[in-house]
């Protein structure tokens, strides 16, 4: 449900002669100040007295700024305005993001006797959501249900997308939704004049305003069915390289269809990470798993292995990070996300490799000796502990990372590669040892590779969690419900960064194992 108007728009307006109280919840970059300025300009142009205030939230996504505006008709002499909204005393609530709508309801700003709630349904993830190792996104459906109950009049649609399609920002589409809701006693033309009076980005803002107005008046169209996945880009390169690729695709075609579906992207990922020979290693590992798999189980084990073996082989080392940071696609994406539109911009990358990342670039035996020496590791830590800021938009900074990203041919000789290959082989051997009698355990152990991700400290923490979950798996491997417990342990490990949920789950397992 995109919009609900339980009563006619004009009935939602405050009675003539009353002070109108409007609050906006927005975070940095959403144009809350611009939206407030437009509303204030609109009110005064229509003969109203108006006062706007704002209370800044904490930096980034830990708190939104509350913009508050009160307006009174010119017939009200010497109006006294409040400086901040009070629970149960807000006529119009505008939320520039779905969770901000939820917060406004929790704080009592939205009430069924008087409040028109205008909210965008898109999500801008909070820091607390991003910190969760797994899927930490809050459930928007609960906010929608609460809004339908709490608001007198509800306008909900993806205002962010509407603004982006119009080449503007969300403040303009929210302003249009405010006009379309009928919650203010002003004509549409007056809203548009307020945008023109600002004199900046007028045409894109008017387009986004119109889109928001239509969404408030007509509602959001039902979501279309998901389009078919685009065909992967066909690889291109020298004839010799293409010949090697064709040999790999011929081997891929011999796999069962359900395995091919996952192995195709996996093969591309591995070859992109290193080369065709590395892709052949990937297929060899997968074929070894398939040889012991069961068609009666729908090759579930091989399908999961196709995904997670590729992830394990395409690990994030210094070479990989440098390679990704210097690809043309990255610069194009940054330009699109920032709206630079061909304008000059600076790009600074912050790199903070640990001593282990440095030793990981050394030859395998030398790197192992250095890691075994606390004194040498401490020396490396002192040299690199402060991190480095590299201007990737400068020739010097770009070339530095570009040359580092070009060390693919050296990767196989490095300490990090030797460690990753040994860890991968141990993990696969652990899973395969459960066959044929404990097929479910084998599948769940393969899936545990999901825990290993990231770079530097993040990677180290994920390895620790992975080891703890496999330790828990050994405790329950003889139980009939062992696979279910391994899945529970894995999900617990994904709940928080510190591993507190996993620690509790392991204690539970230890109590009955």
């Amino acid at each position: 449900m995109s919009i609900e108007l339980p009563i006619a728009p004009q009935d939602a307006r405050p009675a003539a002669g009353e002070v109108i109280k409007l609050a906006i919840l927005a975070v940095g970059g959403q144009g809350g100040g611009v939206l407030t300025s437009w509303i204030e300009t609109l009110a005064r142009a229509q003969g109203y007295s108006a006062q706007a205030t704002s209370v800044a939230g904490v930096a980034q996504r830990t708190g939104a700024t509350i913009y508050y505006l009160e307006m009174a008709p010119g017939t009200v002499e010497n109006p006294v305005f409040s400086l901040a909204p009070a629970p149960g005393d807000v006529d119009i609530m505008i939320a520039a993001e779905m969770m901000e709508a939820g917060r406004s309801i929790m704080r009592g700003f939205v009430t069924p006797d008087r409040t028109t709630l205008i909210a965008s349904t898109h999500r801008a993830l909070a820091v607390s959501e991003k910190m969760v190792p797994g899927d930490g996104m809050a459930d928007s459906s609960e906010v929608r249900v609460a809004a339908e109950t709490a608001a007198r009049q509800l306008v909900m649609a993806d205002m962010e997308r509407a603004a982006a399609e119009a080449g503007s920002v969300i403040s303009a589409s929210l302003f249009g939704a405010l006009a379309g809701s009928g919650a203010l006693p002003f004509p549409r033309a007056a809203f548009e004049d307020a945008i023109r009076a600002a004199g900046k980005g007028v045409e894109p803002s008017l387009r986004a305003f119109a889109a928001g107005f239509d969404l408030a008046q007509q509602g959001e169209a039902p979501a279309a069915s998901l389009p078919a996945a685009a065909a992967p880009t066909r690889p291109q390169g020298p004839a010799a390289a293409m010949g090697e690729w064709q040999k790999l695709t011929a081997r891929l075609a011999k796999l069962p269809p359900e395995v091919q579906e996952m192995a195709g992207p996996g093969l591309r990922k591995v070859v992109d990470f290193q080369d065709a020979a590395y892709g052949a290693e990937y297929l060899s590992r997968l074929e070894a798993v398939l040889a012991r798999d069961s068609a009666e189980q729908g090759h579930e084990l091989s399908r999961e292995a196709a995904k997670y073996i590729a992830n394990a082989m395409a690990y994030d080392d210094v070479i990989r990070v440098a390679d990704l940071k210097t690809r043309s696609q990255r610069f194009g994406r940054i330009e699109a996300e920032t709206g630079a539109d061909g304008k000059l911009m600076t790009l600074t990358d912050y790199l903070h490799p640990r001593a282990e990342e440095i030793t990981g670039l050394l030859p395998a035996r030398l790197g192992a000796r250095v890691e075994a020496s606390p004194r040498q590791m401490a020396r490396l830590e002192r040299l690199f502990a402060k991190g480095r800021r590299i201007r990737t938009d400068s020739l010097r900074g770009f070339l530095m990372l570009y040359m580092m990203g070009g060390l693919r041919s050296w990767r196989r000789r490095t300490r990090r590669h030797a460690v990753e290959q040994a860890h991968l082989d141990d993990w696969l051997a652990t899973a395969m040892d459960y066959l044929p009698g404990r097929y479910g355990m084998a599948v769940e152990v393969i899936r545990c590779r999901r825990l290993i991700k990231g770079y530097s400290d993040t990677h180290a923490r994920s390895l620790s969690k992975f080891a703890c979950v496999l330790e828990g798996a050994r405790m329950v491997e003889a139980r009939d419900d062992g696979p279910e417990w391994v899945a529970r342990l894995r999900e617990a490990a994904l709940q928080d960064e510190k591993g507190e949920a996993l620690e509790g789950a392991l204690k539970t397992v230890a109590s009955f194992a």
Side-chain angles (χ1 to χ4, degrees), residues 153-429:
Q153 179 187 359
L154 178 62
V155 176
M156 271 192 172
D158 192 342
M159 302 296 174
E160 173 72 16
R161 183 178 64 182
E165 291 174 350
S168 185
V169 293
I170 191 172
S171 54
S173 55
L174 288 171
F175 194 45
L178 174 61
S181 71
L184 289 179
F186 310 134
R188 173 173 178 168
F191 285 81
E192 295 172 333
D193 288 342
I195 294 176
R196 294 188 182 96
K200 294 182 179 179
V202 173
E203 292 306 319
S205 295
L206 287 175
R207 291 195 299 269
F209 172 89
F213 187 94
D214 291 341
L215 286 172
Q217 291 277 306
Q218 303 167 15
E220 197 167 30
S225 57
L226 293 175
T233 304
R234 184 175 181 177
Q236 296 180 351
M242 291 303 298
E244 293 298 321
W245 173 253
Q246 289 169 4
K247 292 178 183 179
L248 294 177
T249 55
R251 289 177 64 179
L252 180 67
K254 296 178 182 179
L255 302 177
E258 59 270 23
V259 180
Q260 285 185 45
E261 183 181 7
M262 194 64 70
L267 178 62
R268 285 176 174 270
K269 181 174 185 176
V270 169
V271 172
D272 177 71
F273 176 80
Q274 185 63 29
D275 52 31
Y278 204 50
E281 292 182 24
Y282 166 73
L283 290 178
S284 295
R285 283 191 168 101
L286 182 56
E287 288 164 351
V289 175
L290 182 61
R292 299 183 60 186
D293 201 355
S294 170
E296 295 179 358
Q297 301 284 350
H299 294 116
E300 182 181 12
L301 179 64
S302 298
R303 179 179 171 84
E304 295 297 320
K307 175 180 179 180
Y308 291 111
I309 292 176
N311 288 346
M313 294 182 71
Y315 52 88
D316 287 328
D317 61 355
V318 174
I319 299 172
R320 177 66 167 175
V321 171
D323 175 32
L324 294 176
K325 286 183 177 294
T326 53
R327 293 193 177 189
S328 59
Q329 298 94 323
R330 182 193 183 220
F331 294 102
R333 186 184 72 250
I334 292 174
E335 184 174 355
E337 290 178 354
T338 58
D341 194 23
K343 299 177 183 177
L344 292 176
M345 63 177 179
T346 61
L347 178 61
T348 303
D349 282 297
Y350 179 69
L351 304 178
H352 189 190
R354 301 180 306 147
E356 287 79 2
E357 271 70 57
I358 306 304
T359 58
L361 287 173
L362 299 176
R365 291 184 180 179
L366 176 59
R369 287 200 300 270
V370 174
E371 287 183 1
S373 170
R375 186 177 67 177
Q376 294 188 53
M377 291 296 287
R379 183 180 302 168
L380 286 175
E381 194 67 36
R382 286 195 300 271
L383 288 173
F384 294 94
K386 294 182 180 180
R388 299 290 186 274
R389 287 178 171 81
I390 299 177
R391 284 277 304 276
T392 322
D393 60 301
S394 70
L395 180 61
R396 179 183 177 184
F398 178 84
L399 288 178
M400 187 184 304
L401 290 182
Y402 185 78
M403 293 175 66
M404 181 67 69
L407 295 178
R408 291 188 185 188
S409 59
W410 173 251
R411 177 183 275 137
R412 289 176 177 274
R413 303 181 180 92
T414 64
R415 166 67 177 166
R416 176 67 186 277
H417 187 75
V419 170
E420 290 293 339
Q421 296 300 297
H423 191 273
L424 189 158
D425 291 338
D426 288 345
W427 159 63
L428 280 179

